[in-house]
């Protein structure tokens, strides 16, 4: 098939109009273009010729799950299966308003993911089994999303099971990671890498959200004591850098607790992250609350709604919807801020990388390792921001 | 019982009492502005009172004290036999019986028309959902927007939104309806559809207090017309007397400006 002449013409015209419209812009375009090509060639040369990528596959289990006991890996796999299934259901139901479930963009993303799973170098051993399982997970995600997409069209009431299902997911995930109730216990000191990063991020997000909303409401309260306490908390925490909060959580909290109490190290880090994020979240939500016109409160109270009903049914749904972009921005920052726990002795993705780089076998492999984990952070955060935009579009269709 | 057909009646003992009795109400805003200077008014059961006056005269503030959206410092207000104090329990009891329609509609934009109307019956009156929806659909039919029930407020015209707001208030089966300039934010061609609904409501025997500039509506529907100016109640009279033979010189001046 020959290319559409009109289209290629307009593309040429676009280049001419936007990149080469006068001598200065043309010069700029050419200089920047040369710089990009030069940098790209340099990067490719490094990545293909001089980089020693062996450090990645050799340490892949450490990057992904830290020192989680190898005979208990099945628990992580089970968790991944559950997550893939539930994510698929959620995706399918959220997309049920859209005419097509799989847009070209989604298909490209899926193909890329599958390609990575097949081609990514793995440590020797059961490579085929791992690749097969990963592909099966991807397939599971697609299948459940398609089923949920169809099912939700028939019965929209299904969507109300999503939130309880995610709540249950949290509990099951926690159980699978910690153990107990019939499973052998796994100490949190063995957690590490991506697993620890995701665990800390998700739990902190889940805890800081309600706490932050309560603080925001407290700051708006008509009761002076609650207002002052909330304001005091928010202003104090916002005045302290996160690293100081983390040091306090990790070193000072044990001093305050009775001697025989030992609060888990990971739990303390999560506590610090939660308390810190909640203060910022409170200010973000307060912005949303202030955008709600006074008339909404008046209409609600003239109908006889008391304050909790007015907030829960009228004000918060609107305020939180306005705040979604800012809240997701905060959560993305939180995920990146979890790297700070590596300074206080936890082996999250960054901490694990530093410990691997300290191994004499891998000395000097900074660029390879940091590039690798950088891709992970980017992928998580990009997925979150895409997800939030998607959610926003769905909510806006309603209006 | 449908509020558009017949107003609810309380126990016979309360029948002779006025529905609203405001005595010597005084209010200062936080910045010490004296907005109500001893206003007294009583509204009987089934009576329609229209309050007129220049902007800043305190008329909106006055009717907003009837359901405690505004506080007052001196005097007393009794609504349906309940004295309006700072007691939260009383305030919520009164707000359930007093409906209010606002100038800016104040519909809940994140809920559909039907959800707007059923929200308070379900959450405050604790009606089963099906009952609340039946009542809501009847009301929407009466105000002529049944076909828009599943749309969102932002998709409706101003006149339609205001009619939804009226239906939303009526869904609580109130004994009193307060209207705070219900047609002032509407395009001229939409004023009539809202006034028609108010007219029907008045004929059904609902006790109504309306702040409005609609002279035609006041002449036709009101039992009494009241003029407020500068925080004082200047004159309260039958529509015929008020518009044709006003007692006060201030009323004559006001009428000469608006007629």
């Amino acid at each position: 098939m020959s290319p559409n002449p009109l289209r290629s013409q307009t593309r040429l015209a676009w280049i001419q109009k936007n990149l080469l419209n006068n001598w200065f812009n043309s010069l700029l375009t050419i200089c920047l273009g040369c710089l990009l090509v030069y940098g790209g060639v340099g990067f490719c040369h490094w990545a293909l010729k001089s980089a020693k990528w062996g450090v990645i596959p050799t340490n892949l289990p450490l990057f992904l799950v830290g020192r989680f006991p190898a005979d208990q890996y099945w628990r992580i796999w089970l968790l991944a299966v559950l997550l893939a299934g539930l994510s698929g259901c959620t995706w399918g139901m959220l997309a049920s308003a859209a005419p097509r479930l799989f847009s070209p963009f989604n298909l490209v993303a899926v193909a890329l993911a599958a390609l990575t799973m097949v081609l990514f170098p793995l440590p020797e051993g059961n490579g085929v089994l791992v690749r097969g399982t990963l592909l099966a997970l991807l397939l599971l995600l697609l299948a459940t999303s398609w089923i949920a997409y169809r099912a939700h069209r028939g019965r929209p009431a299904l969507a109300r099971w999503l939130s309880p299902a995610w709540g249950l997911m949290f509990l099951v995930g926690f159980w699978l990671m910690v153990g107990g109730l019939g499973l052998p216990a796994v100490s949190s000191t063995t957690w590490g890498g991506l697993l620890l990063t995701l665990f800390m991020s998700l739990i902190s997000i889940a805890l800081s959200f309600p706490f932050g909303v309560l603080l925001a409401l407290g700051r708006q309260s008509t009761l002076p004591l609650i207002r002052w306490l909330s304001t005091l908390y928010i202003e104090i925490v916002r005045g302290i850098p996160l690293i100081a909060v983390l040091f306090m959580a990790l070193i000072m909290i044990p001093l305050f607790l009775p001697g025989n109490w030992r609060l888990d190290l990971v739990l303390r880090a999560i506590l610090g992250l939660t308390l810190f994020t909640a203060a910022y979240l409170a200010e973000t939500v307060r912005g949303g609350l202030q955008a709600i016109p006074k008339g909404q409160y008046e209409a609600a109270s003239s109908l006889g709604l008391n304050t909790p009903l007015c907030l829960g049914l009228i004000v918060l749904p609107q305020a939180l919807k306005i705040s979604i972009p800012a809240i997701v921005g905060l959560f993305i920052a939180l995920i990146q801020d979890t790297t700070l726990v590596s300074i206080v002795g936890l082996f999250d993705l960054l901490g694990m990388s530093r410990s691997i780089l300290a191994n004499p076998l891998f000395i000097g492999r900074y660029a390879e390792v940091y590039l690798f984990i950088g891709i992970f952070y980017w992928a998580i955060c990009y997925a979150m921001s895409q997800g939030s935009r998607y959610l926003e579009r769905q909510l806006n269709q309603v209006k | 019982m449908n509020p558009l057909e017949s107003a609810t009646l309380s126990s016979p003992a309360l029948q002779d009492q006025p529905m609203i009795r405001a005595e010597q109400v005084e209010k200062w805003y936080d910045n010490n502005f004296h907005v109500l200077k001893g206003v007294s008014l009583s509204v009987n059961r089934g009576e329609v009172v229209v309050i007129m006056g220049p902007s800043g005269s305190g008329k909106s503030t006055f009717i907003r004290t009837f359901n405690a959206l505004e506080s007052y410092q001196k005097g007393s207000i009794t609504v349906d036999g309940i004295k309006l104090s700072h007691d939260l329990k009383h305030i919520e009891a009164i707000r359930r019986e007093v409906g209010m329609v606002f100038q800016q509609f104040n519909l809940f934009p994140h809920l559909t028309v039907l959800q707007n109307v059923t929200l308070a019956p379900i959450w405050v009156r604790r009606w089963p959902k099906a009952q609340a929806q039946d009542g809501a659909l009847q009301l929407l039919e009466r105000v002529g927007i049944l076909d828009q029930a599943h749309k969102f407020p932002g998709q409706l015209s101003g006149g339609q939104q205001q009619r939804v707001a009226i239906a939303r208030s009526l869904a609580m089966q109130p004994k009193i309806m307060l209207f705070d300039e219900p047609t002032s934010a509407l395009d001229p061609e939409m004023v009539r559809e809202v006034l028609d609904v108010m007219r029907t409501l008045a004929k059904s025997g609902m006790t109504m207090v309306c702040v409005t500039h609609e002279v035609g509506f006041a002449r036709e529907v009101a039992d009494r017309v009241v003029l407020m100016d500068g925080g004082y109640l200047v004159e309260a009279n039958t529509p015929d007397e008020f518009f044709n033979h006003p007692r006060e010189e201030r009323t004559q001046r006001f009428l000469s400006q608006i007629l």
Side-chain angles (χ1 to χ4, degrees):
Chain A
M1 209 167 71
S2 61
N4 182 346
L6 225 148
R7 183 133 190 202
S8 56
Q9 237 176 20
T10 47
R11 259 188 209 163
L12 262 180
W14 184 90
I15 290 176
Q16 208 158 35
K17 186 173 156 225
N18 291 291
L19 301 178
L20 305 165
N21 55 349
N22 61 36
W23 69 266
F24 179 72
N25 281 357
S26 306
L27 192 68
L28 216 59
T29 303
I30 290 165
C31 286
L32 283 176
C34 288
L35 212 65
L36 274 177
V37 169
Y38 183 75
V41 167
F43 176 79
C44 287
H45 186 262
W46 170 80
L48 297 173
K49 289 272 167 59
S50 50
K52 296 209 166 50
W53 292 104
V55 60
I56 307 293
T58 316
N59 295 300
L60 202 57
L62 285 178
F63 279 119
L64 294 180
V65 296
R67 295 189 172 83
F68 204 86
D71 58 340
Q72 300 293 324
Y73 277 176
W74 64 270
R75 282 152 68 164
I76 313 260
W77 282 113
L78 181 59
L79 189 57
V81 168
L82 292 175
L83 268 177
L86 193 54
S87 309
C89 287
T90 311
W91 176 25
M93 286 194 196
L94 281 179
S96 63
R100 271 185 317 169
L101 179 58
F102 303 116
S103 67
F105 179 78
N106 290 339
L107 287 178
V108 169
V110 168
L112 272 178
L115 207 65
T116 317
M117 286 171 186
V118 174
L119 296 181
F120 197 83
L122 291 175
E124 278 89 69
N126 44 10
V128 179
L129 187 65
V130 171
R131 283 183 217 282
T133 322
L134 282 174
L135 284 174
L137 275 177
L138 190 65
L139 215 61
L140 176 73
L141 181 82
L142 296 178
T144 48
S145 66
W146 191 75
I147 292 170
Y149 178 72
R150 302 295 302 230
H152 187 250
R153 296 209 139 176
R155 268 190 284 164
L158 281 173
R160 80 168 65 135
W161 292 99
L162 275 182
S163 321
W166 276 105
L168 194 67
M169 181 78 223
F170 249 92
L171 293 180
V172 172
F174 197 79
W175 173 57
L176 284 173
M177 284 190 64
V178 178
L181 296 176
L183 284 179
V186 174
S187 160
S188 68
T189 48
T190 64
W191 299 353
L194 184 64
L195 185 69
L196 182 62
T197 296
L198 285 179
F199 183 80
M200 285 193 305
S201 312
L202 290 178
I203 303 267
S204 306
I205 286 174
L207 293 179
S208 63
F209 185 72
F211 187 37
V213 171
L214 282 180
L215 276 174
L217 292 175
R219 195 166 185 172
Q220 299 263 0
S221 171
T222 45
L223 304 170
L225 188 67
I226 292 179
R227 193 172 61 239
W228 292 335
L229 285 178
S230 307
T231 311
L232 192 71
Y233 176 85
I234 292 168
E235 293 306 332
I236 287 180
V237 173
R238 293 206 317 155
I240 305 177
L242 176 59
I243 189 70
V245 174
L246 281 175
F247 269 119
M248 266 197 281
L250 291 164
I251 293 156
M252 283 168 65
I253 287 178
L255 300 180
F256 300 144
L257 291 175
N260 49 357
W261 272 46
R262 292 277 299 144
L263 204 54
D264 189 276
L265 194 67
V266 174
L267 223 56
R268 273 183 268 160
I270 288 176
L271 197 68
L273 287 168
T274 303
L275 294 179
F276 183 79
T277 308
Y280 283 85
L281 194 85
E283 285 300 275
T284 307
V285 174
R286 188 167 71 107
L289 287 174
Q290 279 171 345
I292 306 300
K294 205 171 149 233
Q296 294 285 308
Y297 292 89
E298 291 182 347
S301 45
S302 79
L303 286 169
L305 270 67
N306 56 24
T307 311
L309 282 180
C310 170
L311 290 176
L313 297 172
I314 308 300
V315 178
L316 276 181
Q318 297 184 59
L320 291 179
K321 192 180 129 188
I322 305 173
S323 324
I324 287 176
I327 290 178
V328 173
L330 262 181
F331 286 157
I332 286 175
L334 169 68
I335 290 174
Q336 292 170 355
D337 285 348
T338 56
T339 50
L340 283 175
V341 302
S342 67
I343 297 176
V344 289
L346 284 172
F347 294 102
D348 74 317
L349 204 43
L350 183 67
M352 191 49 82
S353 309
R354 285 155 45 122
S355 92
I356 288 168
L357 287 169
N359 183 336
L361 276 177
F362 308 114
I363 279 205
R365 299 272 77 87
Y366 297 107
E368 292 87 341
V369 167
Y370 287 141
L371 187 67
F372 177 67
I373 65 166
I375 290 172
F376 269 108
Y377 282 111
W378 175 80
I380 297 169
C381 296
Y382 183 69
M384 259 190 88
S385 79
Q386 284 297 310
S388 87
R389 257 193 253 172
Y390 194 79
L391 187 67
E392 246 180 289
R393 271 205 303 274
Q394 295 297 318
L395 289 174
N396 276 332
Q397 271 176 0
V398 166
K399 199 176 168 185
Chain B
M1 197 167 353
N2 195 301
L4 270 179
E5 279 166 349
S6 57
T8 43
L9 295 176
S10 324
S11 63
L14 288 170
Q15 290 301 304
D16 330 322
Q17 282 186 25
M19 201 61 143
I20 301 171
R21 184 161 57 205
E23 280 167 354
Q24 295 298 320
V25 176
E26 302 213 29
K27 177 183 173 66
W28 287 263
Y29 281 135
D30 290 339
N31 56 6
N32 283 333
F33 180 69
H34 198 175
V35 57
L36 297 177
K37 302 171 181 167
V39 185
S40 299
L41 178 73
S42 72
V43 181
N44 291 320
R45 239 156 257 277
E47 197 180 17
V48 177
V49 174
V50 166
I51 302 180
M52 305 186 107
S55 64
S57 59
K59 52 193 194 303
S60 279
T61 309
F62 185 48
I63 74 160
R64 286 157 60 93
T65 58
F66 296 167
N67 64 349
L69 283 184
E70 300 279 355
S71 62
Y72 59 96
Q73 280 80 36
K74 276 190 188 170
S76 79
I77 298 177
T78 312
V79 177
D80 194 29
I82 304 173
K83 191 153 189 267
L84 254 186
S85 55
H86 299 289
D87 188 357
L88 257 179
K89 266 220 167 98
H90 281 176
I91 289 179
E92 279 173 14
I94 283 173
R95 281 177 179 162
R96 282 197 289 269
E97 310 303 331
V98 182
M100 185 160 209
V101 175
F102 300 87
Q103 183 177 358
Q104 300 294 341
F105 329 134
N106 294 350
L107 292 178
F108 306 129
H110 61 302
L111 302 175
T112 63
V113 165
L114 187 62
Q115 287 169 330
N116 264 280
V117 181
T118 55
L119 183 96
I122 290 176
W123 288 93
V124 181
R125 290 254 190 253
R126 298 269 163 203
W127 288 359
K129 201 175 168 193
Q131 185 194 345
Q133 280 189 345
D134 283 350
L137 290 173
Q138 271 182 30
L139 282 170
L140 288 176
E141 191 179 2
R142 281 176 199 282
V143 298
I145 25 183
L146 187 56
D147 48 334
Q148 321 276 352
H150 296 285
K151 287 194 180 166
F152 285 87
Q155 298 168 307
L156 304 186
S157 74
Q160 289 172 324
Q161 289 194 45
Q162 193 60 296
R163 285 184 282 152
V164 173
I166 295 174
R168 180 178 68 175
S169 286
L170 290 178
M172 285 293 282
Q173 301 193 333
K175 295 176 180 162
I176 305 165
M177 285 288 287
L178 306 174
F179 291 84
D180 188 2
E181 305 207 26
T183 55
S184 301
L186 295 176
D187 289 338
E189 71 265 33
M190 290 169 188
V191 169
R192 218 179 105 193
E193 61 191 57
V194 172
L195 289 182
D196 281 345
V197 170
M198 290 170 64
R199 214 169 273 139
T200 323
L201 188 63
K203 282 188 189 131
S204 75
M206 174 66 77
T207 311
M208 290 166 57
V209 184
C210 317
V211 172
T212 183
H213 300 296
E214 297 294 330
V215 174
F217 176 80
R219 270 186 203 275
E220 185 195 339
V221 178
D223 296 306
R224 267 188 301 158
V225 183
V226 171
L227 181 77
M228 285 187 67
D229 185 33
Y232 293 102
L233 193 152
V234 177
E235 177 169 357
N237 223 328
T238 62
D240 182 47
E241 290 286 315
F242 185 91
F243 290 111
N244 300 332
H245 317 286
R247 264 198 313 262
E248 304 288 330
E249 181 269 333
R250 178 70 189 92
T251 314
Q252 290 166 12
R253 253 194 300 137
F254 176 73
L255 290 175
S256 70
Q257 276 160 352
I258 63 164
L259 288 177

